[in-house]
C-alpha cells in the first residue's frame, strides 16, 4: 500500500471528510513521526508498534563490484518494532 491508497481508503470510510483534508492529516502524522525521529525520540503507537532510531557505527566494508575495501561512515537508521496486537493479528489470520 502506498500513501495515496491509504488516503483513498480513509476518505472512503469517512465520507464526511474531503480527500484533501484526509491527505493533510496523513501528511501531518507522517511529518510528526519523522520530526520526532530526527530529534532522537521514540514514537509508540499502542497495538501497532514503535518507531525508533538506531546508530550504526563506522565500519570497514567492501565494494561488491570490485571487492575493494571501503570505509562506511557512521549513520542513524530508522527501526520499527511491531506491537503485540499487530503480531497476534498477523499470526491468527
Amino acid at each position: 500500500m502506498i500513501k495515496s491508497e491509504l488516503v483513498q481508503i480513509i476518505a472512503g470510510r469517512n465520507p464526511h471528510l474531503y480527500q484533501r483534508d484526509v491527505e493533510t492529516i496523513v501528511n501531518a502524522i507522517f511529518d510528526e513521526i519523522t520530526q520526532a525521529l530526527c530529534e532522537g525520540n521514540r514514537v509508540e503507537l499502542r497495538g501497532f508498534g514503535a518507531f525508533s532510531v538506531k546508530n550504526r557505527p563506522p565500519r570497514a566494508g567492501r565494494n561488491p563490484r570490485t571487492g575493494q575495501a571501503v570505509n562506511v561512515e557512521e549513520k542513524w537508521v530508522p527501526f520499527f518494532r511491531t506491537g503485540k496486537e499487530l503480531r497476534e493479528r498477523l499470526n491468527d489470520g
Side-chain angles (χ1 to χ4, degrees), residues 3-76:
K3 187 165 59 169
S4 61
E5 291 173 340
L6 177 62
V7 168
Q8 288 177 351
I9 290 169
I10 294 171
R13 290 183 183 173
N14 297 282
H16 60 283
L17 296 174
Y18 292 113
Q19 185 167 342
R20 68 176 183 267
D21 293 338
V22 172
E23 186 173 359
T24 302
I25 292 167
V26 169
N27 285 333
I29 291 169
F30 288 153
D31 289 344
E32 287 300 316
I33 291 172
T34 302
Q35 184 62 36
L37 293 175
C38 287
E39 294 171 0
N41 296 326
R42 183 173 183 263
V43 178
E44 183 175 337
L45 304 172
R46 297 280 174 155
F48 182 71
F51 296 92
S52 60
V53 180
K54 288 193 174 190
N55 181 287
R56 297 269 169 96
R59 62 182 173 85
R62 295 229 174 258
N63 182 332
R65 190 173 285 173
T66 64
Q68 181 182 8
V70 293
N71 291 325
V72 179
E73 296 180 5
E74 172 187 48
K75 59 184 163 185
W76 294 90

